[in-house]
């Protein structure tokens, strides 16, 4: 028989096997032994379908066949390692439309032109430590002989499960002839082999001296539903979590045969700051992976750490499922322990975990719809959402930005192939969903898609506060993983919907950088988006155009143009001048109105009055007398030229040399003759932060009355005289990026909106609002105009303002 003949014959045998309904006799925990030529060890067969689904046959192969079968039925769970160590061959019956393309292609050769709903056999082979795949010709021949042997034994009336009181199972001895496959039928004891333990790794880590912390950690190696191109090894997620706070301490992919690497990563985690804020060893570690336990325990148990192997750790499974949610795939190995049934009751309003689980299951329905609905893979649907029909390119280019999740959500909630078509969400609700999922789906439909700015996040509480850029208002999303991996100030097109007392976020477009907000808004409006709740619902697909806009923006973006207050490019100049009489030069300089000297007399500052909204003079240059030389430092070529001209006119001054460096030049490349001391770093104390915030607030409140080119030369205040103008100014303010730096200083958006009469609500006095702006009553003595250059710096350093923050 050639390969095509073997495949067709195996399909026919699978149909006959299914027709005999052997699952009515064999339960899920029943098995039989199959001895086949070419197999080094007896196989263990299990008939699937007792639960009313997944009808088919599984053959466990290899020396660990019996141990793997027993492990899958362990009441404590199989553990992380078992799924990856399985070596199985078999098939299951299912709808043709739900099968992957490679299986569909083979079935078309065997059965003609099947329809989507036709129930056909799907074949699978999964070697130990490798990803599932289609069986090769040799494996298909083995499966064909096994199927025909089972069918012949059943025709002879010998396919019977073991007696309830006995421990001897059915045993089939097969030949190598597919036409006469059955040699004999008997009974034998199932081998009582246990899963072999992995040898301990030789780990080289010095953990001595680390304190023992009152903490319990959870650790496991969980299946990742992904693959590396060109490598068929299974991937696992090394996940280390603090039990009390559920903080993810480390998470990274490893191949199934890299347990030693995973153990080394775990040992290094002890030497980093953990949940308690310091390095140390937890008192207890619970492992869901036996191999990881065996690798780590010998290194840490002598130090007082209790290591326990638990095959199933529900909290770790839940966090892993949330963590891998961005891969747009469920964890297949977790379903038996997360609860595979779909009829969960509606959770209580304050049951966050319950609502998360309901939302996860609904998201799986969305993913299934994307996988199985041909209309979503059509050029018409792709063009509607992306504005381009190259669906695969967008999926590949943005796979780490939840593009598949966003597209699937749009395809379920919003896509209508024709004007009168129903959306998939409408069909789901009409057909009937489990009540809890129906509640969440209806909440999704009620929520408007919009563009959010991340105002703040709290990883400890697992919350993210977001401001609606388009419609106004704020919402707090409850998502611990999201809160641990997001940055304030970025923009997210999404749909925030309510579940119980909580809000969840579903993406509708790509995440955008802090400086991209107003350009994204202008792009959406240029596409015709109407910024009203009804318009956003109708134009949801336009958020999908942001994926292509983001591609163009990243391809054409230019580095920021950094310049000084005169608009000159930054180029630091350090120049030396020889002095015939240093004292005379100093006296001449101090006669100028634009030169100021500190009380210590060691530095002169060249100044120019600045605009009122900046709050002080502009520093043009610094000058220091070093013996018979004057050293000048300025930040641009133009300023250097001006300074050199007036300095060389002073009596007894002669130019010696000048060195330059770029603003981004690393320290090691700077010239050695830069002899002026660099300013010391400033600690941003609460008092200094409040002072800087007040200065920023003053600047932006003045901005409301500045004519702006983007507003046609009108001021924001004047533009707000019309409804369209108020909307434009509001979105402009909400998309302003906050000042860069470590201090908690932000644009006073709410104060600006209230000043313009766009938003009336105000935070309590002296309390920060969601954007960090403050009520008018700032602490006394911190106003910038009350701090002279020779006065004490408001940061509390004890230095003069000009020698500290005034630099």
């Amino acid at each position: 028989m050639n390969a095509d003949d073997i495949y067709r014959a195996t399909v026919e045998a699978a149909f006959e096997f299914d027709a005999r309904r052997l699952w009515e006799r064999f339960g899920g925990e029943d098995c039989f032994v199959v001895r086949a030529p070419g197999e080094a060890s007896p196989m263990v067969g299990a008939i699937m379908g007792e639960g009313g689904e997944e009808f088919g046959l599984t053959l466990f192969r290899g020396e660990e066949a019996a141990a793997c079968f027993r492990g899958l039925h362990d009441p404590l769970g199989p553990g992380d390692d078992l799924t990856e160590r399985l070596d199985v061959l078999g098939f299951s019956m299912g709808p043709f439309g739900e099968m992957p393309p490679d299986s569909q292609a083979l079935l078309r050769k065997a059965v003609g032109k099947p329809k989507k709903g036709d129930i056909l056999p799907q074949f699978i082979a999964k070697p130990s430590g490798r990803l599932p795949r289609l069986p090769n010709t040799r494996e298909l021949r083995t499966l064909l002989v096994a199927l025909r042997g089972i069918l012949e034994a059943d025709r002879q009336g010998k396919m019977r499960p073991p007696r309830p009181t006995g421990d001897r199972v059915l045993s089939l001895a097969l030949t190598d002839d597919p036409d006469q496959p059955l040699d004999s039928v008997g009974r034998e004891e199932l081998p009582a082999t246990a899963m072999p333990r992995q040898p301990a790794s030789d780990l080289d880590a010095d953990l001595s001296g680390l304190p023992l912390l009152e903490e319990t950690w959870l650790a496991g190696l969980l299946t990742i539903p992904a693959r590396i191109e060109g490598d068929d090894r299974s991937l696992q997620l090394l996940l280390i979590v603090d039990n009390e706070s559920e903080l993810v301490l480390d998470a990274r992919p490893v191949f199934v045969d890299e347990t030693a690497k995973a153990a080394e990563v775990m040992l290094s985690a002890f030497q980093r700051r953990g949940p308690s804020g310091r390095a140390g060893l937890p008192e207890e570690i619970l492992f869901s992976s036996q191999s990881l336990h065996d690798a780590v325990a010998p290194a840490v148990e002598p130090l007082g750490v209790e290591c326990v192997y638990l095959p199933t750790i529900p909290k770790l499974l839940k966090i892993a499922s949330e963590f891998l949610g961005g891969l747009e795939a469920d964890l297949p190995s977790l379903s038996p322990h997360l609860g595979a049934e779909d009829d969960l009751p509606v959770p209580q309003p304050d049951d966050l975990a319950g609502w998360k689980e309901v939302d996860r299951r609904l998201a799986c329905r969305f993913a299934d719809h994307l996988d199985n609905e041909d209309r979503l893979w059509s050029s018409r649907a792709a063009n509607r959402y992306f504005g381009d029909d190259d669906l695969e390119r967008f999926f590949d280019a943005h796979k780490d930005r939840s593009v598949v999740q966003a597209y699937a959500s749009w395809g379920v909630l919003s896509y209508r192939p024709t004007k009168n078509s129903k959306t998939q969400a409408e069909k789901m609700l009409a057909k009937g969903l489990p009540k809890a999922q129906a509640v969440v789906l209806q909440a999704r439909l009620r929520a408007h898609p919009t563009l959010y700015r991340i105002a703040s996040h709290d990883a400890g509480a697992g919350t993210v506060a977001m401001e609606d850029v388009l419609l106004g208002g704020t919402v707090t999303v409850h998502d611990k993983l999201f809160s641990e991996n997001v940055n304030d100030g970025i923009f997210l097109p999404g749909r925030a919907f309510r579940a119980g007392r909580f809000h969840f976020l579903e993406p509708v477009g790509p995440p955008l950088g802090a400086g991209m907000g107003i350009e994204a808004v202008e792009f959406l409006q240029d596409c015709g988006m109407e910024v009203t709740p009804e318009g956003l619902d109708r134009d949801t697909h336009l958020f999908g155009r942001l994926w292509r806009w983001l591609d163009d923006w990243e391809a054409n973006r230019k580095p920021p143009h950094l310049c000084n207050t005169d608009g000159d490019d930054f180029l630091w100049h350090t120049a030396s001048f020889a002095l015939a009489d240093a004292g005379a030069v100093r006296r001449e300089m101090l006669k100028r109105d634009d030169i100021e000297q500190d009380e210590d007399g060691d530095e002169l500052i060249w100044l120019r009055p600045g605009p009122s909204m900046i709050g002080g003079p502009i520093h043009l240059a610094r000058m220091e007398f070093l013996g018979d030389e004057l050293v000048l430092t300025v930040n641009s070529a133009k300023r250097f030229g001006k300074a050199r001209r007036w300095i060389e006119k002073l009596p007894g001054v002669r130019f010696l040399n000048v060195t330059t460096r770029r603003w981004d030049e690393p320290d090691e490349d700077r010239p050695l003759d830069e002899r002026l001391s660099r300013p010391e770093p400033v600690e941003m104390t609460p008092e200094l932060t409040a002072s800087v915030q007040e200065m920023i607030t003053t600047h932006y409140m003045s901005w409301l009355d500045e004519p702006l080119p983007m507003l046609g030369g009108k001021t924001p205040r004047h533009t707000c005289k019309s409804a369209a103008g108020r909307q434009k100014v509001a979105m402009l303010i909400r998309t302003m990026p906050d000042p860069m730096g470590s201090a908690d200083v932000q644009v006073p958006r709410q104060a600006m909106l209230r000043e313009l009469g766009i938003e009336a609500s105000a935070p309590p006095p002296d309390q920060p609002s969601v954007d960090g702006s403050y009520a008018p009553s700032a602490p006394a003595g911190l106003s910038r105009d009350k701090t002279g250059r020779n006065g004490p710096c408001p940061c509390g350093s004890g230095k003069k303002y000009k020698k500290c923050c005034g630099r």
Side-chain angles (χ1 to χ4, degrees):
M1 299 174 70
N2 60 34
D4 290 342
D5 291 338
I6 290 174
Y7 187 78
R8 278 190 289 268
T10 309
V11 170
E12 293 173 358
F15 275 124
E16 185 178 353
F17 180 93
D18 182 61
R20 287 185 174 270
R21 303 175 67 88
L22 292 175
W23 59 85
E24 295 178 351
R25 278 175 268 156
F26 284 78
E29 298 187 13
D30 296 330
C31 67
F32 51 95
V33 173
V34 179
R35 296 182 179 274
E39 292 292 320
S41 303
M43 296 185 290
V44 174
I47 295 173
M48 302 183 297
E50 182 190 35
E53 59 182 359
E54 296 290 332
F55 305 101
L57 172 70
T58 300
L59 297 174
F60 296 83
R61 308 165 72 191
E63 296 179 352
E64 301 174 5
C68 286
F69 175 79
R70 285 195 173 100
L72 285 177
H73 296 90
D74 189 323
L76 297 178
D80 298 348
D81 305 323
L82 179 60
T83 302
E84 302 304 335
R85 295 175 71 171
L86 287 177
D87 187 348
V88 296
L89 175 66
F91 81 97
S92 62
M93 305 295 291
F96 174 75
E98 296 182 6
M99 296 181 186
D102 52 359
S103 292
Q104 290 183 350
L106 286 174
L107 284 170
R108 287 190 180 97
K109 294 181 180 179
V111 297
K113 297 182 179 180
K115 298 179 180 178
K116 285 184 180 180
D118 290 348
I119 304 301
L120 301 176
Q122 179 180 351
F123 301 102
I124 186 174
K126 185 206 168 297
S128 177
R130 295 295 186 264
L131 295 166
R133 55 171 172 76
L134 285 175
N136 57 36
T137 303
R138 183 186 64 80
E139 292 166 333
L140 275 175
R141 184 182 177 88
T142 298
L143 182 57
L144 173 62
V145 171
L147 283 170
R148 287 183 171 178
I150 293 170
L151 292 171
E152 180 60 30
D154 190 49
R155 282 191 286 269
Q156 297 177 15
K158 297 178 179 178
M159 283 297 296
R160 298 293 175 188
R163 295 184 298 275
T165 58
D167 55 1
R168 293 170 64 81
V169 300
L170 185 71
S171 175
L172 306 181
L174 306 178
T175 71
D176 194 36
D177 183 0
D179 295 327
Q180 295 182 336
L182 187 62
D183 183 26
S184 62
V185 179
R187 295 269 172 183
E188 68 179 79
E189 293 183 3
L190 191 67
T193 57
M195 191 70 70
R197 303 280 286 271
Q198 296 288 333
S201 304
D202 294 326
L203 299 175
D204 183 16
D206 183 12
L207 304 177
S208 60
L210 290 178
L212 204 60
L213 308 175
E214 294 183 0
E215 296 173 3
T216 295
W217 289 11
L218 313 177
L221 293 169
L222 301 117
T223 299
I224 295 180
R227 65 180 66 228
I228 301 297
E229 187 173 356
D231 196 326
D232 68 341
R233 287 180 296 172
S234 297
L235 277 172
Q236 293 180 298
L237 174 69
L238 168 63
L239 187 61
I240 308 172
V241 175
D242 175 65
N243 182 54
E244 182 176 357
S245 66
E246 297 188 6
L247 180 67
V248 176
L249 305 177
D250 209 325
R252 64 185 69 193
V254 295
F255 284 111
V256 68
D257 54 2
E258 293 181 330
T259 303
K261 176 182 176 181
E264 291 174 357
V265 171
M266 188 162 188
L267 294 188
S268 68
F270 302 141
Q271 298 168 333
R272 299 194 296 268
R273 293 183 182 274
S276 62
R278 56 193 179 121
L281 298 165
E283 286 185 339
E284 181 183 46
I285 307 176
L286 306 181
F287 294 85
S288 59
S289 165
Q290 182 73 63
S291 60
L292 187 60
H293 169 277
D294 294 348
V296 174
V300 299
E301 284 182 332
L303 301 176
V305 180
E306 183 178 1
C307 297
V308 180
Y309 167 61
L310 296 177
T312 301
I313 304 177
K315 182 180 291 186
L316 195 64
L317 294 173
K318 175 181 73 69
I319 295 173
S321 183
E322 294 175 355
F323 194 90
L324 292 172
L327 295 177
E328 283 74 51
D330 192 18
L331 291 174
S333 62
L334 305 186
S335 55
H337 310 291
L338 291 179
E341 68 281 357
D342 251 345
D343 56 346
L344 289 176
V346 177
Q348 294 297 314
D350 58 352
D351 181 6
L352 178 59
W355 286 112
K356 282 286 186 184
E357 176 61 17
V358 173
D359 183 58
R360 183 188 69 83
R361 296 186 182 195
L362 186 60
C364 289
R365 288 183 184 270
F366 285 18
D368 288 342
H369 178 64
L370 174 62
D371 290 340
N372 303 320
E373 180 53 66
D374 289 345
R375 290 183 300 182
L376 288 184
W377 294 91
S378 68
S379 59
R380 178 185 178 89
N383 262 318
R384 178 71 172 166
Y385 182 74
F386 293 107
D388 189 310
D389 62 3
D390 194 351
L391 188 66
E392 295 289 352
R393 179 179 72 81
F394 287 103
F395 279 11
D396 183 63
H398 300 286
K399 58 187 175 182
D400 297 329
R401 290 168 166 163
S402 299
V403 62
V404 178
Q405 183 182 353
Y407 184 67
S409 172
W410 170 79
V412 171
L413 300 177
S414 304
Y415 180 52
R416 300 179 190 273
T418 66
K419 185 176 181 180
N420 298 321
S421 298
K422 289 185 177 181
T423 66
Q424 183 63 22
E426 291 169 342
K427 293 179 182 179
M428 287 180 177
L429 291 172
K431 185 178 180 180
L433 282 174
K435 186 174 181 180
Q437 293 186 31
V439 169
V440 174
L441 179 55
Q442 289 167 341
R444 274 182 161 94
L445 292 172
R446 287 193 299 270
H448 302 298
T450 188
L451 181 65
Y452 290 105
R453 181 184 63 84
I454 304 301
S456 63
H457 67 284
D458 186 339
T463 58
V464 179
M466 308 187 305
E467 181 180 13
D468 187 335
V469 168
L470 302 180
L471 300 177
T474 60
V475 65
T476 297
V477 168
H478 294 77
D479 190 315
K480 188 166 185 60
L481 186 62
F482 181 31
S483 70
E484 292 173 350
N485 294 276
V486 73
N487 294 321
D488 292 350
I490 69 169
F491 295 89
L492 292 175
R495 190 190 306 266
F497 58 94
R498 191 177 184 89
R501 292 176 49 200
F502 311 101
H503 280 90
F504 300 158
L505 180 68
E506 183 173 61
V508 299
L512 305 172
M516 302 169 68
I518 191 59
E519 293 183 54
V521 170
E522 292 173 346
F523 169 79
L524 292 172
Q525 292 182 312
D526 289 343
C527 289
M529 177 172 281
E530 178 186 319
V531 185
T532 63
E534 299 76 20
L536 295 177
D537 281 336
R538 184 184 61 249
D539 299 333
T540 302
H541 64 283
L542 296 180
F543 287 105
R545 309 291 172 87
L546 287 170
W547 297 100
R548 192 172 69 168
W549 177 82
L550 178 62
D551 286 340
D552 295 340
W553 192 91
E554 291 181 338
N556 300 316
R557 66 178 176 178
K558 298 178 181 179
H561 177 216
L562 296 182
C563 58
N564 60 23
T565 52
D566 294 332
D568 305 331
D569 290 339
F570 272 125
L571 185 64
W572 292 100
H573 288 63
T574 303
S576 295
F577 297 85
L579 308 176
D581 185 340
V585 171
R586 182 192 299 269
R587 288 189 293 272
E588 286 296 320
M589 283 187 170
L590 290 175
K591 293 179 182 179
R592 296 173 59 99
D593 294 334
D594 56 356
I595 297 294
E596 184 176 303
Q597 173 181 303
D598 62 14
E599 292 182 355
D600 298 330
D602 59 352
E603 185 179 291
L604 300 182
I605 307 295
W606 183 27
L607 303 170
R608 184 182 68 202
S612 59
M613 65 179 181
I614 292 181
I618 296 173
H619 293 199
L620 301 177
R622 295 167 51 216
M623 293 168 285
E624 189 170 358
F625 290 88
L626 299 175
D628 58 356
E629 287 187 23
L630 173 71
V631 177
L632 167 79
T633 301
V634 294
N635 62 17
S636 73
K638 187 175 180 180
R639 287 184 180 177
F640 168 67
K642 290 181 178 180
R644 178 177 176 178
R645 283 193 292 274
W646 69 259
I647 289 176
E648 285 187 309
K649 292 179 181 179
L650 298 174
V653 175
R654 178 172 54 87
F655 173 73
L656 294 177
N657 57 63
V658 64
T659 59
T660 62
R661 63 174 172 82
R662 302 183 313 276
W663 65 271
D664 57 348
E665 189 175 319
D667 287 347
E668 57 268 21
D669 295 338
R670 294 179 180 178
L672 296 177
D673 62 346
E674 288 194 0
R675 290 167 288 176
L676 292 179
S677 60
R678 301 176 63 188
E680 298 178 2
V682 177
E683 178 186 358
M684 292 301 291
T685 63
E687 293 80 11
L688 179 56
T689 299
S691 181
V692 175
Q693 179 67 66
E694 183 184 5
M695 190 185 305
I696 292 293
T697 299
T698 300
H699 166 71
Y700 278 102
M701 297 305 284
S702 300
W703 174 88
L704 299 178
D705 296 301
E706 292 286 333
L708 301 177
M710 68 175 56
L711 298 179
K714 297 179 181 179
T715 68
R717 193 183 303 276
H718 185 266
T719 304
C720 285
K721 290 184 177 181
S722 68
R726 283 194 296 275
Q727 184 183 72
K728 185 171 185 177
V729 171
M731 290 189 292
L732 181 61
I733 291 173
R734 294 183 189 122
T735 54
M736 286 179 171
D738 289 316
M740 297 177 63
S742 59
D744 187 18
V745 177
Q746 297 175 316
V747 173
R749 298 177 185 85
Q750 299 305 316
M752 297 166 72
L753 293 170
R754 289 194 300 272
E755 173 67 18
L756 295 173
I758 297 175
E759 292 186 9
S761 59
D766 296 321
Q767 295 297 315
S769 69
V770 71
D771 67 354
S773 59
Y774 283 78
S777 53
L782 295 179
S783 176
R784 167 64 185 89
D785 59 4
K786 294 181 181 179
T787 303
R789 284 188 46 75
N790 290 314
C793 187
C795 74
S797 65
K799 300 180 181 180
K800 297 175 183 178
Y801 175 75
K802 65 183 178 183
K803 300 290 284 184
C804 188
C805 300
R807 285 184 179 272

